[in-house]
Amino acid sequence: MRLSKEDKARNRDNIVESAGRMFRTRGVDGVGIADLMKSAGLTHGGFYNHFPSKDALAAEVCRASFERTLGRLAAAFDGSDGSRTALKHLLDDYLSAEHRDAPDGGCPSASLVVDAWRQDDQIQEAYAEGVEGYLTTLAAEFSREATRGGEELDPAEARDRAVRLLSGMVGAMVLARAVGRVAPSLSDEILDAGRRR
Amino acid sequence: MRLSKEDKARNRDNIVESAGRMFRTRGVDGVGIADLMKSAGLTHGGFYNHFPSKDALAAEVCRASFERTLGRLAAAFDGSDGSRTALKHLLDDYLSAEHRDAPDGGCPSASLVVDAWRQDDQIQEAYAEGVEGYLTTLAAEFSREATRGGEELDPAEARDRAVRLLSGMVGAMVLARAVGRVAPSLSDEILDAGRRR
DNA sequence: TGTACATCAGTGAACGCGCGTTCACTGATGTAC
DNA sequence: TGTACATCAGTGAACGCGCGTTCACTGATGTAC
C-alpha cells in the first residue's frame, strides 16, 4: 500500500518530531527504532524508507530541534519591548522548573549534550552547528542591548559573554536534572542561583 | 579456586577503579559487564560476587569518583599559598584541554551528569551527594577568601556563588566535550571563555 | 483521457548480535573440632 | 597444631531479551504510452 508523496513527507516529519521529543527525554540510546516508529503511528520496518540509520535520524533530530528553538529565541529577541532585557527574560524561561521537567520540547543544547559527545560524529556535527547558531544570536543580542544602552561593546567581549551565558545555562540545567528526582530542593536551588546571575 | 579475603577486596577495588574510568569516558550504557571485568583482569561471571547489579556498581563508582576528586579539591584549597586565589587555580585546572580530553580521571560532575539524570535512582542519589559536597567545599572557600581579603560574605551569597561556579564549570566542560571532535577550535573557545570568568 | 505496468511506503517476521544475569563447576581458603 | 569439611571467588557456557537492520510481500500511487 504505497502512499502519496505528501503522506510520505508527513510521516517523515512525524518521525523526526516524535523522535525529537523522545531523544531529548530519554537520550538516543534510550529509545529503540520500534518505540519511535510506534510513537509516530507506524511499524518499525518502514524506518529505513526514510533514514539510512538511527544515527542519521539522530543527527537530523538534532538539526531540527536546534532550528526550532533558535527560531523561537530570535523571535523573542526581535519582539523584545525593552522594558526588561530580552536576555534576562531568556534566563528566566530557560532556568525554569517547567523547562527542567519537560525536556521534550526544550533546548537541545542541554538535553542532547552528552549524545553529541558520545554518539556518532554526525550528531556532533549537527550539535556543534546548533551551538554556533546560539552563540551568534546571543552575542548579537548582547551587542544590541549595549548599543541601546548607549554603551560600547567589543564584539569579542560580546562573544565571550555569549559563551559564558550558554555554559552557565546548560550547566545549571543538566545539574538540576541530574539531581531532580532524589534532591528536588537542591535542583530548585541550582535553577534559582542561575537565574540570579 | 577460592581467593583470600585480601585478594577479593583487591579485585573489588580494581573493578570499581576501572569501571570508574570507563563509565566516565563512555557512560554507564557504553560499557558492558564483560568489558569492565576484562579491564579489571577478570571474567564476567564473577561480577555478581561483588555487586548485586550493574546499577549498584554505577552508584558505587559515582560515590568513589566524587570522594577522590573532592579530596583532591579540599587538599588544593588547604595547601593554597594565597599568591593567587585557589578558586582561580581550580578554574584553570578544571577548564583545561587535558581535563576535557581525559574524562577518565576527571570530575564526575561533568562526566556522569547525564547518567545521574537518566539511569537508576541509586546513581542519582550518589551523584546528588557528591554535588552537595562540592558546593559545601566551594562555598567554604569563597568565605575563606573573602575573610582573608578583609571582606564580609553572607553565607547564602557564598553558597549562591558556589552553585553558579559549579554550573559554569560543568556547563563549559560538557559543551566543550560535545563539540570537541568536529569543532576543536569552538571547543577551545568555550574553555577559554570559562577561564576568563 | 484511459490503460497497463513499474515503483515503492508500509507491514511484520526474521536475523545476528551484544547485553545483563544465572548457573554448574573447580579448587583453594577458612573454620570447626 | 593437624585434619576434615564447608565455604565461596572465579570460570565460562548458557539463558532470555531487546536492539538495529534486512527482507519478502502487499497493494495503492505514479508514470509511460
Side-chain angles (χ1 to χ4, degrees), chain B residues 2 8 11 43-46 49-50:
Chain B
R2 182 180 182 180
K8 182 183 182 187
N11 281 342
T43 51
H44 67 280
N49 292 325
H50 295 284

Side-chain angles (χ1 to χ4, degrees), chain A residues 100-114:
Chain A
R100 176 194 60 201
D101 299 336
D104 63 316
C107 178
S109 305
S111 46
L112 299 179
V113 68
V114 151

Side-chain angles (χ1 to χ4, degrees), chain A residues 104-125:
Chain A
D104 63 316
C107 178
S109 305
S111 46
L112 299 179
V113 68
V114 151
D115 295 292
W117 174 21
R118 292 189 179 131
Q119 305 283 329
D120 198 272
D121 274 9
Q122 291 175 73
I123 305 171
Q124 183 164 130
E125 196 82 58

